[in-house]
């Protein structure tokens, strides 16, 4: 019942910004509800007293006052005020007439003086003067009617009474007019302060809002209007459920509840806005307390910390890259060097024969080749990190790039007895930095050879298709999981993993290759399943003839 009455009391208030109009609507609603309540209460008393004429008048009045509330609800504010006064004056007139007719002269008509003041505060311009004079005219007419019922002459005492009532009405008029002007000046100063406040909060790059205990917005800055696609006037007075999108409301409603209980919860989250954009939102809800310590609402401050979070994530990624890089150096470089150091010490001591040394020579050569590849990749990567990636595109023969890289790994291909098939059309001429393509293709071929079992297959195809040069490197090796593919495509540093015959790598190869190729306007796709091999596809810009 309390919630229902509260809802009726606030009918038509939603979106009202002008403080005077807001109070007028609230006044009409509250007085209409109070009058209706009093009318229904009197109706019950009259029923027990068997006073039926007044019973019907008060019963009808109890319902008819709710018309003003309904008119406010549909935002017909002037009609609501006019209806409220018309109903009030009419009921008082009827009540006075019935009282006279029953021989009861209890001055009920004098209540109209109060409604003259109410009229003057509810209306602007000529309407307030017109309404004042009409109610005054009804009051004087009722005094004449009362004198008629009393059966008394219209003598000097009667006219002196009218004079006193008129003076009282005039004094009341002057007082209410002064009060009204003082009130308007106060509202004007309040409006100036609001405009100054809004000019301040509208020009800061954060979201600022005030929410009352009923979780309705009392104030917001312009960022709310821009982000949520609602006019500020409409947001003010609206419940947070009617303003915030579902994804934001789900996270923030518990925070609002916490703040209303006295906490000051903070948050930092990636937020998706109604327009589809995203940003890192960092902020806090804080309770607002009255002088007695009672929580009357909460304030919310939300800042766009996207740049800060991106910098933080980049720093975190850089630290992760650094850690992995040192791990690579420790494992893939120090390991072979320790082997060479041990072999040299062993041979220097004279404990190894020439035949035994020659027997280890092949293994040492393979380790040396792996070490050279690792160092070259690390140096290339380090150079790009220091100087950035600069491209020098030229017409590049893709077949020549592939053949030169296959020649580089000929010993590994022969050792693992991998069958290679190259089918690249002669018109597969791409426009990009040839050195970058060489590094990219070299790392992809090495990765395929590394994870292909002995006796496996490496198929390389190239052609022109849909205005692009397409190069496919396909193997029937170990394959990889989808999350591994996504990690590579995100150019994340990989943990070094040994190949099918112990081949080593840097963990930088594929990620570094993708970075180089992207700088040359290439698009790369990876298709793979564990145990079913891998297909790497490079799309390149066609060189103009």
């Amino acid at each position: 019942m309390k919630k229902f009455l509260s809802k009726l009391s606030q009918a038509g208030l939603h979106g009202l910004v002008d403080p005077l109009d807001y109070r007028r609507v609230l006044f009409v609603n509250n007085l209409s509800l109070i009058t209706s309540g009093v009318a229904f209460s009197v109706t019950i008393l009259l029923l027990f007293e068997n006073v039926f004429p007044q019973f019907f008048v008060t019963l009808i009045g109890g319902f008819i006052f709710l018309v003003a509330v309904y008119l406010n609800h549909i935002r017909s504010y002037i009609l609501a005020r006019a209806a409220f006064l018309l109903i009030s004056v009419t009921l008082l007139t009827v009540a006075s007439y019935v009282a006279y007719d029953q021989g009861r002269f209890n001055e009920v008509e004098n209540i109209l003086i109060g409604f003259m003041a109410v009229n003057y505060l509810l209306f602007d311009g000529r309407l307030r003067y017109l309404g004042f004079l009409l109610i005054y005219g009804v009051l004087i007419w009722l005094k004449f009617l009362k004198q008629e019922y009393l059966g008394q002459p219209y003598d000097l005492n009667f006219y002196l009474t009218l004079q006193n009532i008129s003076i009282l009405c005039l004094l009341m008029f002057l007082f209410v007019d002064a009060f009204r002007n003082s009130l308007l000046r106060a509202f004007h100063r309040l409006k100036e302060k609001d405009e100054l406040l809004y000019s301040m909060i509208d020009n800061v790059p954060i979201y600022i809002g005030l929410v009352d205990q009923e979780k309705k917005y009392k104030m917001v800055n312009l960022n709310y209007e821009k982000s949520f696609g609602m006019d500020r006037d409409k947001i003010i007075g609206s419940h947070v459920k009617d303003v915030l999108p579902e994804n934001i409301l789900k996270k923030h409603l518990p925070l609002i509840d916490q703040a209303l209980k006295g906490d000051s919860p903070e948050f930092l989250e990636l937020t998706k806005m109604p327009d589809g954009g995203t940003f890192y939102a960092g902020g806090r809800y804080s309770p607002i307390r009255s002088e007695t310590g009672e929580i009357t609402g909460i304030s919310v401050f939300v800042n766009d910390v996207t740049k800060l979070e991106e910098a933080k994530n980049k720093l975190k990624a850089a630290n992760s890259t650094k850690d992995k890089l040192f791990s690579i150096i420790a494992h893939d470089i120090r390991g072979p060097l320790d082997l060479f150091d041990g072999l040299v010490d062993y041979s220097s001591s004279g404990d190894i024969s020439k035949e035994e040394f020659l027997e280890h020579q092949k293994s040492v050569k393979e380790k040396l080749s792996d070490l050279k590849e690792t160092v070259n990749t690390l140096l290339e990567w380090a150079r790009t990190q220091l100087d950035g990636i600069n491209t020098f595109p030229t017409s590049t023969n893709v077949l020549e790039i592939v053949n030169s890289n296959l020649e580089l790994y000929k010993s590994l291909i022969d050792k693992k007895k991998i069958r290679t098939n190259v089918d690249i059309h002669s018109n597969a001429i791409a426009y990009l930095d040839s050195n970058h393509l060489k590094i990219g293709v070299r790392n992809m071929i090495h990765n395929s050879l590394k994870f292909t079992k002995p006796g496996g297959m490496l198929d390389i195809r190239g052609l022109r298709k849909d205005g692009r040069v397409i190069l496919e490197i396909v193997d029937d090796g170990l394959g990889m999981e989808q999350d591994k593919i996504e990690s590579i495509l995100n150019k994340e540093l990989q943990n070094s993993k040994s190949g099918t015959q112990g081949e080593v790598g840097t963990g930088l190869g594929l990620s570094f290759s993708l970075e180089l190729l992207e700088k040359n306007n290439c698009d790369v796709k990876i298709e793979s399943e564990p145990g079913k091999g891998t297909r790497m596809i490079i799309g390149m810009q066609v060189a103009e003839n």
Side-chain angles (χ1 to χ4, degrees):
M1 186 64 178
K2 185 178 179 181
K3 287 185 177 180
F4 176 71
L5 290 175
S6 176
K7 191 172 183 180
L8 288 177
S9 173
Q10 296 179 13
L13 292 177
H14 178 70
L16 272 179
V17 178
D18 186 275
L20 181 59
D21 285 338
Y22 185 93
R23 284 161 177 76
R24 282 171 170 172
V25 172
L26 189 61
F27 175 82
V28 170
N29 287 343
N30 288 336
L31 202 56
S32 295
L33 291 173
I34 292 170
T35 308
S36 293
V38 171
F40 289 135
S41 300
V42 173
T43 299
I44 295 171
L45 293 175
L46 292 173
L47 180 63
F48 284 110
E49 294 292 331
N50 294 320
V51 185
F52 289 105
Q54 286 91 336
F55 167 80
F56 289 112
V57 171
T58 55
L59 181 64
I60 293 170
F63 284 107
I64 206 167
F65 268 106
L66 297 177
V67 171
V69 178
Y70 172 74
L71 289 172
N72 274 333
H73 174 69
I74 62 174
R75 300 183 179 278
S76 297
Y77 301 126
I78 300 295
L79 282 177
R81 297 170 203 166
F84 171 74
L85 285 172
L86 181 61
I87 294 166
S88 300
V89 172
T90 301
L91 286 176
L92 283 172
T93 303
V94 172
S96 298
Y97 178 80
V98 171
Y100 300 159
D101 191 54
Q102 293 180 348
R104 292 182 289 106
F105 305 97
N106 47 14
E107 304 294 334
V108 69
E109 71 277 1
N110 288 338
I111 298 175
L112 288 172
I113 296 174
F115 279 95
M116 292 166 67
V118 170
N119 163 85
Y120 200 80
L121 292 173
L122 287 181
F123 290 99
D124 297 314
R126 294 179 180 178
L127 283 177
R128 69 177 184 271
Y129 300 116
L130 180 61
F132 189 93
L133 291 174
L134 286 174
I135 297 173
Y136 172 76
V138 171
L139 175 62
I140 298 301
W141 175 75
L142 285 174
K143 291 296 182 182
F144 274 97
L145 185 63
K146 178 182 177 182
Q147 194 74 359
E148 189 73 30
Y149 269 95
L150 286 170
Q152 296 180 359
Y154 301 116
D155 55 9
L156 180 62
N157 287 332
F158 172 71
Y159 285 108
L160 286 175
T161 300
L162 292 184
Q163 175 186 285
N164 292 336
I165 290 173
S166 298
I167 292 173
L168 177 63
C169 291
L170 178 61
L171 290 173
M172 189 270 298
F173 170 83
L174 294 174
F175 171 77
V176 174
D177 185 64
F179 175 75
R180 182 179 182 277
N181 290 333
S182 176
L183 193 64
L184 289 175
R185 284 194 296 271
F187 283 141
H188 181 68
R189 288 194 296 270
L190 182 62
K191 188 175 181 180
E192 287 180 340
K193 289 181 179 178
D194 283 346
E195 289 175 351
L196 178 62
L197 176 63
Y198 277 121
S199 68
M200 292 171 61
I201 66 175
D202 284 344
N203 290 290
V204 293
I206 63 176
Y207 293 79
I208 300 175
L210 294 179
V211 180
D212 62 18
Q213 285 183 309
E214 296 180 351
K215 301 176 185 176
K216 292 183 178 180
Y217 284 102
K218 303 299 292 182
M219 183 190 74
V220 295
N221 68 346
L222 205 59
N223 287 327
Y224 275 82
E225 183 176 296
K226 294 176 181 177
S227 297
F228 298 120
M230 295 174 64
D231 291 337
R232 175 157 49 197
D233 293 347
K234 190 174 181 181
I235 294 175
I236 294 174
S238 294
H239 196 281
V240 292
K241 291 181 178 179
D242 300 322
V243 177
L244 300 179
E246 186 65 29
N247 64 307
I248 298 178
L249 182 67
K250 186 177 179 181
K251 296 178 181 178
H252 285 252
L253 198 54
L255 300 179
I256 294 172
D257 290 333
Q258 280 183 253
L260 288 173
K261 292 177 182 177
D263 295 332
S264 297
E266 297 182 353
F267 57 90
L268 176 61
E269 61 193 21
L270 183 62
T271 302
K272 184 176 182 180
M273 301 303 288
D275 61 1
T278 58
F279 74 100
Y280 279 98
R284 181 175 67 182
Y285 287 93
S286 301
I288 300 173
R289 299 180 185 273
S290 64
E291 293 181 356
T292 60
E294 181 184 358
I295 296 175
T296 58
I298 58 174
S299 63
V300 55
F301 300 90
V302 185
N303 194 12
D304 184 350
V305 294
T306 303
K307 291 183 179 179
L308 183 62
E309 281 301 302
E310 286 178 348
K312 179 181 174 182
N313 290 335
K314 286 180 180 178
L315 180 60
K316 186 177 179 181
N319 285 332
S320 176
T321 299
K322 177 199 70 176
D323 293 341
K324 287 186 177 180
L325 189 58
F326 279 117
S327 175
I328 290 166
I329 293 172
H331 180 270
D332 295 338
I333 295 182
R334 192 172 63 185
L337 290 176
D338 288 343
L339 174 65
F340 301 151
D341 185 55
L343 187 61
V344 170
D345 288 344
Y346 193 45
S347 61
S348 298
S349 65
D351 294 333
I352 185 173
S353 64
K354 182 178 180 181
E355 291 76 14
E356 288 175 322
F357 184 84
L358 291 174
E359 187 178 318
H360 289 289
Q361 186 178 14
K362 185 176 181 182
S363 175
V364 170
K365 185 177 180 181
E366 290 176 359
K367 292 292 183 182
L368 185 60
S369 178
D370 289 339
L371 179 60
K372 181 181 178 182
E373 181 67 22
T374 297
V375 171
N376 283 338
T377 303
L378 284 171
L379 289 174
E380 284 289 341
W381 177 83
R383 184 180 61 80
T384 60
Q385 297 301 303
L386 292 171
D387 301 332
I389 300 175
N390 298 311
T391 61
F392 302 96
T394 58
S395 295
T396 303
N397 189 306
V398 176
L399 178 59
E400 292 179 0
I401 296 291
V402 169
N403 285 334
S404 66
N405 278 305
L406 287 175
E407 184 64 29
L408 182 67
Y409 293 112
K410 187 175 184 304
S411 60
L412 180 59
I413 294 171
D414 292 341
K415 176 185 175 182
K416 298 181 76 171
K417 298 181 180 178
I418 293 174
R419 293 170 286 114
T420 59
N421 177 49
V422 179
D423 182 13
I424 299 176
H425 291 195
S426 58
N427 64 353
I429 308 297
Y431 184 72
L432 76 174
D433 190 307
S434 59
N435 286 326
H436 291 171
L437 180 60
K438 186 180 294 184
I439 293 170
V441 171
R442 182 173 73 227
N443 279 300
M444 289 181 178
I445 289 177
H446 181 258
N447 197 73
S448 291
L449 295 173
K450 179 179 174 182
F451 294 108
T452 297
K453 294 180 180 179
M457 178 272 298
L458 176 63
D459 191 11
I460 303 176
R461 298 185 291 268
L463 73 161
R464 289 178 60 163
K465 183 180 180 181
D466 299 329
R468 302 280 283 175
V469 174
I470 308 298
L471 179 65
E472 293 185 3
I473 300 173
V474 184
D475 64 67
D476 60 356
L478 301 180
M480 64 185 92
E481 300 282 355
Q482 185 61 37
D483 58 347
K484 180 75 170 179
I485 296 174
E486 292 176 2
S487 175
I488 293 171
L489 292 177
N490 288 332
K491 296 182 288 297
E492 297 174 5
L493 188 61
Q494 307 300 308
N495 291 320
S496 180
K497 186 177 179 182
S498 298
T500 56
Q501 287 196 333
E503 301 94 334
V504 297
T506 62
L508 281 168
L510 288 179
S511 301
F512 179 48
S513 298
L514 291 181
E515 196 170 350
L516 291 176
L517 292 171
E518 283 187 4
K519 286 291 183 179
N520 285 272
N521 299 316
C522 299
D523 48 84
V524 179
K525 296 179 182 178
I526 301 176
E527 299 171 359
S528 184
E529 288 184 38
K532 295 186 178 180
T534 301
R535 178 192 302 268
M536 298 189 183
I537 306 167
I538 308 173
M540 297 165 278
Q541 182 179 342
V542 175
E544 299 293 335
N545 293 328

